[in-house]
Amino acid sequence: MKFYKPTSIPDLFRISEEIEGKKYFLAGGTDINVQIKNGIIKDEPVIFINHLNELKGIKESEDIILIGTLTTYKEIIESDLLRKVLPFFQNSLKSFASPILQTMATIGGNIANGSPTADVTPLLLVLDAKLKLFSKSRIREVKLSEFFTGYKEFILKANEIIGAILIPKNAETGFDTFFEKVGSRKSLTIAKLEIAGLKRLKNNKIEEIKIAAGALNEYPRRLHKLEEFLTGKDIDRIDFSQVEEILNREITPISDLRSDKEYRLQVSFNLIQSFILN
Ligand SMILES: Cc1cc2nc3c(=O)[nH]c(=O)nc-3n(C[C@H](O)[C@H](O)[C@H](O)COP(=O)(O)OP(=O)(O)OC[C@H]3O[C@@H](n4cnc5c(N)ncnc54)[C@H](O)[C@@H]3O)c2cc1C
């Protein structure tokens, strides 16, 4: 197995373009190292990116919070800027893995690993986040909701990386917030399912609602049909049997070693009901 350590971002793209076929970018290494150990990654080249300072840090502009792809969970959890501007986002990530993992795992690696169980993705989806994708000759912005195309599949091109995550500064403002990660235990756990939500009520009616599910489809996604059904409804008059029916059409949970399909359906319905009513 070959490892490369670029000296700069242009050098990273030079190396990447010289390598034909599949390659990996080592950010925090918390997923890659497990995959190497388990023989999932065998001979594919690995390019270290974790020392490239241009890809680190949290910055603000007038309307946007920009989180560099290599920003770690520890940095996110401890950021004064996020505590002030996006406290729901920050607090929700405190349940990520364990304190040691939080010092290594990066936000960009969590998204690019493409796991349906990634903690950050449902949160970023309800916050209408975008990704900044970097390649040798251009930077493009895409909505996170348009990034995934299938199980561990996304629109990232061969020599393109996630450079940064962009979140509107007012994304949480005026909303009731909800995030539940259900796992076998509190820490060091991969989610059985996750629900993130934002809702805004006016005169007891749902004026706006955003719900995203993790680990319930082949990739995390917004539940747009359910959002449409709920918008405008008086929360005391919602027919929850219809909510359950729509939910069961919008999610396609699997049975695996963590839990079965029926459990995932029932718990996700219970969480969504509790989010709507509380
Ligand atoms: C014990 C343990 C507990 C865990 N707990 C959780 C948990 O609670 N919640 C959770 O969501 N995850 C968890 N994980 C998974 C993992 O820690 C996260 O997915 C982490 O954020 C991955 O980031 P990384 O920087 O370590 O990625 P890496 O391992 O460095 O890379 C992961 C993948 O992303 C690609 N990649 C990395 N950065 C980029 C980039 N900028 N552009 C393009 N591709 C890129 C790599 O090529 C690779 O395929 C856990 C893992 C372990 C081992």
Side-chain angles (χ1 to χ4, degrees), residues 4 17 27-29 34 40 47 50-51 58 65 99 102 108 143 147 162 178 189-191 196 219 232 245-246 274:
Y4 296 84
E17 288 193 357
V34 173
I40 298 164
I47 305 174
N50 55 0
H51 56 291
I58 305 171
I65 294 291
Q102 288 169 4
K143 290 181 181 166
F147 182 70
I162 298 176
F178 183 89
T189 197
I190 303 289
Y219 55 90
E245 207 181 289
I246 297 167
S274 140

Side-chain angles (χ1 to χ4, degrees), residues 143-173:
K143 290 181 181 166
L144 179 63
S145 56
E146 292 168 4
F147 182 70
F148 297 99
T149 55
Y151 177 71
K152 293 208 170 228
E153 287 174 6
F154 24 74
I155 58 168
L156 211 55
K157 298 202 169 84
N159 296 305
E160 198 172 38
I161 62 162
I162 298 176
I165 292 87
L166 306 173
I167 309 176
K169 268 176 146 174
N170 64 358
E172 301 180 1
T173 314

Side-chain angles (χ1 to χ4, degrees), residues 1 24 32 35-44 46:
M1 185 179 282
Y24 290 90
I32 285 191
Q35 290 162 8
I36 293 173
K37 187 166 171 266
N38 294 338
I40 298 164
I41 301 176
K42 290 194 180 86
D43 300 322
E44 295 90 345
V46 174

Side-chain angles (χ1 to χ4, degrees), residues 58 139 144 152 160 168 179 234 238 257 277:
I58 305 171
I139 294 177
L144 179 63
K152 293 208 170 228
E160 198 172 38
F179 180 66
D234 187 312
I238 292 171
L257 55 96
L277 293 177

Side-chain angles (χ1 to χ4, degrees), residues 22-35 41 49 55 69-70 73 95-98 101 104-114 117-120 156 160-163 181 188-191 194:
K22 182 78 186 155
K23 69 214 80 167
Y24 290 90
F25 299 102
L26 193 144
T30 60
D31 278 314
I32 285 191
N33 286 325
V34 173
Q35 290 162 8
I41 301 176
I49 59 171
L55 301 174
T69 190
L70 292 177
Y73 280 95
S95 62
F96 182 93
S98 66
L101 259 285
M104 299 162 71
T106 66
I107 182 168
N110 204 198
I111 299 167
N113 191 51
T117 64
D119 282 7
V120 81
L156 211 55
E160 198 172 38
I161 62 162
I162 298 176
K181 169 180 173 179
L188 260 180
T189 197
I190 303 289
E194 290 155 312

